[in-house]
Amino acid sequence: MTEIDAKIDALVPAWLTLPDIAERFDVEVTRVRQLVKDGQLIAVRRGENRVLQVPADFIDGEKIVKGLSGLLTLLRDDGFTDEEMLEWLFTPDDTLPGTPAQALGENRGTEVKRRAQALAV
């Protein structure tokens, strides 16, 4: 859980607070905090109140976008910080097309994972 910089804030189109996610998942907010702690979601502090928020593109209805948790683990294992992961996930990639986050949301996780693995080489 980190502070966010202006570059990442400009890349990510929409954010959700942890209570918003808890409501969508129909769980206690402590469960969402645990998902962040376990590395299944990235949360950053935003706004004047420095409230923890998660990119809205990481949430698909009542669950985490398919393939996100594994991708975050892969990127962490490659030495990426939370900020670097967010920047990579939300920077347009002409070869996808779109951003890796959009591709995950469109169930094109295999393509995204392949690109993430190539980063480690």
Side-chain angles (χ1 to χ4, degrees):
M1 295 178 270
T2 59
E3 297 283 330
I4 187 164
D5 69 24
K7 182 178 183 180
I8 292 169
D9 206 24
L11 287 173
V12 178
W15 298 87
L16 294 169
T17 64
L18 301 191
D20 291 339
I21 296 168
E23 189 175 312
R24 287 183 182 206
F25 289 4
D26 194 26
V27 298
E28 296 292 325
V29 74
T30 53
R31 176 68 186 120
V32 180
R33 285 187 190 284
Q34 190 63 46
L35 292 171
V36 172
K37 186 178 178 186
D38 292 346
Q40 296 183 51
L41 285 172
I42 297 173
V44 294
R45 294 199 178 276
R46 295 185 65 245
E48 289 179 23
N49 298 331
R50 311 311 299 161
V51 175
L52 276 177
Q53 296 184 31
V54 172
D57 287 352
F58 290 175
I59 307 302
D60 181 15
E62 300 173 0
K63 62 186 184 338
I64 297 171
V65 168
K66 181 182 174 188
L68 177 67
S69 298
L71 180 63
L72 295 179
T73 299
L74 176 68
L75 292 171
R76 267 192 201 95
D77 289 350
D78 288 345
F80 277 62
T81 64
D82 286 356
E83 293 81 8
E84 290 167 336
M85 286 188 274
L86 287 171
E87 186 175 342
W88 184 79
L89 282 161
F90 287 95
T91 298
D93 180 341
D94 293 339
T95 66
L96 275 172
T99 67
Q102 287 170 323
L104 276 179
E106 295 166 0
N107 205 22
R108 294 186 288 138
T110 303
E111 296 174 51
V112 176
K113 190 173 182 184
R114 203 173 295 131
R115 281 166 180 76
Q117 288 169 328
L119 295 172
V121 176

